[in-house]
Amino acid sequence: MERKSFGNMQCPVARTLERVGEWWSILILRDALQGLTRFDQFQKSLDIAPNMLTRRLTTLVDAGMLERRQYSDRPPRFEYVLTDLGRDFRTIIVALNAWGNKHFAPEGPSVMLVDRDSGKQVDLGLVDRNTGKEISGREHVIVAGPQADEMTRERLDSMQRLREAANDAANEARLTEEAAEPGAPKKAKKVSDLKVKESKPAKAKAKLAEKTGKAAKLAKRA
């Protein structure tokens, strides 16, 4: 069965997976970022079948991640050098390394990113260069860009509604938990209770207006 292509999808994650979504491709880029360039070097590092390595290298060249350069005429031999596009993939490799060390290395890290001068392990985090703020799920969200089509906008709007509903549920649970704490001042247990309490002054005003109207009618009759 032919694999579905992600190349025409508007999602940048899907478009990236179209080019490097196969695990051998990511590992080849990992090794290329460490300085490997030649076919035999990749094969020895990865213990990969030659025909598979050929296909993956060709795919990465076609995707613009690697450039194929001849370094020997007799016999003709080629090396695979990272392009600017391929070098930009370093950010992804570093993030995958940090994530793997955090979640899948119970025995401790075997491969680490360290500061070249101090030798200390890097505490990786994503930062907005415009503000210096660390990227977090609480303060940053994915939204439709200026070139998003209708389908993309609908999908992201739907996700936004789900996030808002989840935030409302979390806030309601927090209020309930705070109200149940021993010695805590009496608080509304639910967001809906707060709305009811906020509406009581309005009801009092309505009753006062009703009484005032009845008094005016009685005065006219007199």
Side-chain angles (χ1 to χ4, degrees), residues 14 53 66-67 79 115 123 126 131 140 159 164 211 221:
L53 179 57
L66 296 175
E67 180 183 352
E79 62 180 355
D115 182 274
D123 183 10
L126 293 177
T131 63
H140 301 87
M159 291 180 179
E164 290 174 352
K211 289 180 179 179
R221 291 176 183 177

Side-chain angles (χ1 to χ4, degrees), residues 70-132:
Q70 186 169 348
Y71 68 89
S72 173
D73 293 328
R74 297 181 182 178
R77 290 180 178 174
F78 297 84
E79 62 180 355
Y80 297 86
V81 182
L82 285 164
T83 64
D84 289 341
L85 182 64
R87 281 187 286 274
D88 274 351
F89 197 73
R90 176 178 174 80
T91 305
I92 310 302
I93 292 294
V94 167
L96 284 172
N97 188 82
W99 190 64
N101 276 338
K102 180 178 180 180
H103 297 288
F104 308 119
E107 74 286 359
S110 56
V111 178
M112 303 188 306
L113 179 68
V114 300
D115 182 274
R116 187 187 296 273
D117 294 329
S118 67
K120 292 183 178 180
Q121 185 175 1
V122 172
D123 183 10
L124 189 67
L126 293 177
V127 175
D128 178 6
R129 290 179 178 175
N130 295 318
T131 63

Side-chain angles (χ1 to χ4, degrees), residues 4-18:
K4 179 178 179 179
S5 173
F6 295 156
N8 293 325
M9 295 178 66
Q10 286 209 325
C11 175
V13 175
R15 290 183 177 182
T16 300
L17 289 174
E18 176 69 18

Side-chain angles (χ1 to χ4, degrees), residues 141-188:
V141 295
I142 301 294
V143 300
Q147 301 303 319
D149 59 21
E150 190 63 28
M151 182 179 296
T152 300
R153 292 182 185 279
E154 289 179 0
R155 178 173 62 85
L156 293 175
D157 287 346
S158 175
M159 291 180 179
Q160 176 65 24
R161 290 192 293 271
L162 289 173
R163 284 197 301 269
E164 290 174 352
N167 287 337
D168 289 344
N171 289 334
E172 187 167 318
R174 178 178 57 80
L175 288 171
T176 302
E177 183 178 352
E178 289 177 353
E181 291 179 358
K186 190 174 181 181
K187 296 182 180 181

